[in-house]
């Protein structure tokens, strides 16, 4: 009995420690916590995917900007919900070096239709299962959406988030990088 | 140490209660609260259970750790099925609490027999989605009867179910295909034992 109590206390402390660590590294919120602090975004920046017109685009072309890579899909309601906020942030902060890039896990025609519908003012590339697997290597263990990665001007991943990235949180994260 | 059991009990209860609350809280704009975090290391003198409880209360809602709660796709939407009679398979989804399936994304296909008719899907709960309009969703248990032709008792029938769903915290899973193989009972026999697509954990059943 006593050891079970002790385990409970230790367990509680461990979860507190984990949560504190998550907060300390700025990776909490509804976010995934892959741990490990800053990581190189080289793998992500090296990938090439077609844009909505079918032209190949390499993420590395935006190196040097504060890059927000958002994995999304038209079949994902919370993704669609948060994207208008990204459009506003791109309009507000683009001149200061903020660059959003979408990676849609979807078919090109559906992506094009939605891009037109909301007047997306940043590029969205079109990926398939491979892109989803890529997000898994970045910490999207469940391969769920939306999943968003913030990369600083030096090419390091400073934040990854599974689930909506709210406007205030987004602006607070990128505000320190711009 | 006498106070420990009680304190422990409340820590444990709080953990569950707050964990559940955090899922709901995550739908609100997530605001980080640096105050409790900064204060935390200085409180190491407090009795351990109290400290743990205080920290949990202080940190948990702010952290809203969806990663702690989110289930694998096949666990959130656990597929199973059984041979109901000599020409019917009963397919079953058990949707975990806090998750929902889209009715119009459900698809079934069959190997080892032929679907005699398009399966009748039970009505879902109408959700007025900002983008998709009125869509029907399933929560809890979903039962779908699959009427089969060219099936024979004792012969295996493979059912593939495609589904797509989301978690209330604001995360959607990609479409997934789950597969089971069941054996139909003889005419007039008892339904077969349910077969689960992802059977390692049985807690979604029984």
């Amino acid at each position: 009995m006593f050891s079970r109590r002790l385990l409970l206390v230790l367990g509680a402390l461990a979860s507190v420690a984990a949560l504190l660590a998550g907060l300390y590294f700025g990776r909490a919120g509804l976010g995934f916590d892959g741990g490990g602090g800053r990581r190189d975004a080289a793998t992500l920046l090296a990938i090439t995917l077609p844009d909505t017109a079918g032209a190949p685009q390499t993420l590395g072309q935006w190196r040097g900007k504060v890059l927000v890579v958002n994995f999304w899909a038209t079949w994902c309601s919370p993704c669609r919900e948060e994207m208008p906020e990204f459009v506003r942030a791109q309009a507000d902060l683009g001149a200061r070096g903020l660059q959003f890039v979408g990676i849609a896990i979807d078919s090109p025609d559906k992506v094009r239709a939605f891009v037109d519908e909301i007047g997306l003012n940043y590029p969205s590339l079109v990926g398939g299962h491979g892109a989803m697997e890529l997000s898994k290597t970045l910490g999207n263990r469940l391969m769920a959406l939306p999943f968003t990665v913030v990369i600083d001007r030096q090419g390091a991943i400073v934040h990854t988030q599974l689930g909506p990235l709210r406007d205030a949180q987004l602006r607070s994260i990128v505000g320190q990088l711009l | 140490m006498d106070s420990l059991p009680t304190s422990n009990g409340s820590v444990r209860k709080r953990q569950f209660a707050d964990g559940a609350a955090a899922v709901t809280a995550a739908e609100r704009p997530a605001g980080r609260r640096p105050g409790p975090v900064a204060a935390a290391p200085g409180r190491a003198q407090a009795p351990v259970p109290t400290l743990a409880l205080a920290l949990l209360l202080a940190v948990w809602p702010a952290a809203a750790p969806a990663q702690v709660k989110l289930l694998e796709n096949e666990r959130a939407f656990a597929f199973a099925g059984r041979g109901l009679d000599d020409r019917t398979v009963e397919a079953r989804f058990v949707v975990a609490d806090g998750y929902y399936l889209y009715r119009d994304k459900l698809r079934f296909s069959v190997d080892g027999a032929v679907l005699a008719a398009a399966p009748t899907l039970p009505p879902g709960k109408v959700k007025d989605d900002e983008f998709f309009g009125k869509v029907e969703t399933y929560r809890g248990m979903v039962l779908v009867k699959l009427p089969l032709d060219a099936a024979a008792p004792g012969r295996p029938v493979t059912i593939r179910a495609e589904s797509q769903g989301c978690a209330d915290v604001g995360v959607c899973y990609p479409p997934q295909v789950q597969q089971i193989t069941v054996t139909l009972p003889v005419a007039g026999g008892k339904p077969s034992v349910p077969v689960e697509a992802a059977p390692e954990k049985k807690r979604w059943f029984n």
Side-chain angles (χ1 to χ4, degrees):
Chain A
M1 244 348 246
F2 176 74
S3 64
R4 192 158 157 261
R5 287 174 213 155
L6 191 64
L7 277 177
L8 280 171
V9 174
L10 288 176
L13 282 175
S15 40
V16 168
L19 287 168
L20 287 175
L23 285 174
Y24 181 74
F25 288 110
R27 287 161 166 274
L30 176 56
F32 131 86
D33 176 13
R38 291 163 62 96
R39 281 178 301 153
D40 196 340
T43 321
L44 181 56
L45 293 173
I47 65 154
T48 300
L49 289 170
D51 61 20
T52 49
Q57 303 289 347
T58 303
L59 279 177
Q61 68 185 282
W62 293 288
R63 190 184 273 275
K65 296 200 174 232
V66 174
L67 190 58
V68 181
V69 180
N70 171 237
F71 293 80
W72 68 284
T74 62
W75 45 260
C76 164
S77 188
C79 303
R80 302 165 67 121
E81 216 171 306
E82 71 173 347
M83 285 168 72
E85 288 184 351
F86 293 169
V87 167
R88 277 193 293 278
Q90 180 66 60
D92 292 350
L93 301 171
R96 289 175 57 193
L98 180 66
Q99 181 63 56
F100 279 85
V101 178
I103 296 182
I105 314 298
D106 218 320
S107 62
D109 53 331
K110 285 182 177 163
V111 174
R112 273 193 295 271
F114 185 67
V115 161
D116 291 346
E117 185 186 322
I118 69 162
L120 202 72
N121 57 355
Y122 57 84
S124 184
L125 313 183
V126 184
H129 188 68
M132 203 61 138
E133 290 284 348
L134 172 71
S135 80
K136 192 177 185 180
T137 68
L138 299 168
N140 186 8
R141 185 176 58 87
L142 298 167
M143 295 199 283
L145 298 177
F147 180 72
T148 304
V149 182
V150 181
I151 300 164
D152 71 10
R153 294 183 191 273
Q154 286 72 45
I157 295 173
V158 294
H159 186 88
T160 57
Q161 174 126 352
L162 176 60
L165 182 55
R166 304 292 178 185
D167 194 55
Q169 194 188 358
L170 168 74
R171 286 176 193 254
S172 139
I173 293 164
V174 301
Q176 297 163 24
L177 306 173
L178 289 171
Chain B
M1 290 311 260
D2 276 341
S3 66
L4 200 51
T6 334
S7 304
N8 263 343
S10 35
V11 167
R12 192 166 46 156
K13 268 185 210 152
R14 287 292 187 183
Q15 249 182 304
F16 287 124
D18 286 347
V23 172
T24 323
E27 288 185 299
R28 296 196 298 267
R32 280 170 51 207
R33 301 194 309 187
V37 181
R43 302 185 56 179
Q45 309 299 330
V48 165
T50 315
L51 177 68
L53 176 58
L55 288 180
L56 273 175
L57 287 175
V59 172
W60 205 290
Q67 70 274 19
V68 175
K69 289 281 166 189
L70 281 173
L71 299 168
E72 304 280 342
N73 204 343
E74 69 268 25
R75 306 269 170 225
F77 313 104
F79 179 59
R82 60 177 181 163
L84 201 58
D85 57 41
D86 61 331
R87 50 197 310 160
T88 313
V89 166
E90 183 186 63
R92 167 165 83 176
F93 277 98
V94 177
V95 180
D97 281 351
Y99 297 76
Y100 57 93
L101 272 183
Y102 286 109
R103 181 178 187 261
D104 66 355
K105 298 282 171 67
L106 271 193
R107 306 262 188 284
F108 295 97
S109 64
V110 178
D111 271 353
V114 178
L115 267 178
T120 308
L121 299 177
K125 185 170 180 282
V126 177
K127 180 185 176 188
D128 205 353
D129 189 284
E130 189 182 345
F131 297 100
F132 302 141
K134 288 200 191 316
V135 289
E136 288 186 49
T137 58
Y138 292 127
R139 290 174 188 267
M141 190 182 287
V142 189
L143 295 174
V144 182
K145 282 180 186 166
L146 308 175
L148 302 177
D149 273 345
R155 209 170 69 187
V157 175
T158 298
I159 310 291
R160 271 187 304 276
E162 185 179 332
S163 65
Q164 198 256 307
C166 303
D168 289 332
V169 290
V171 166
C172 287
Y173 292 77
Q176 70 173 333
V177 176
Q178 299 184 82
Q179 179 174 309
I180 52 164
T181 298
V182 300
T183 305
L184 299 181
V186 295
K190 283 185 179 171
S192 68
V193 175
V195 176
E196 296 165 29
E200 297 97 287
K201 290 181 191 168
K202 294 222 168 191
R203 62 195 175 114
W204 303 119
F205 296 94
N206 307 321

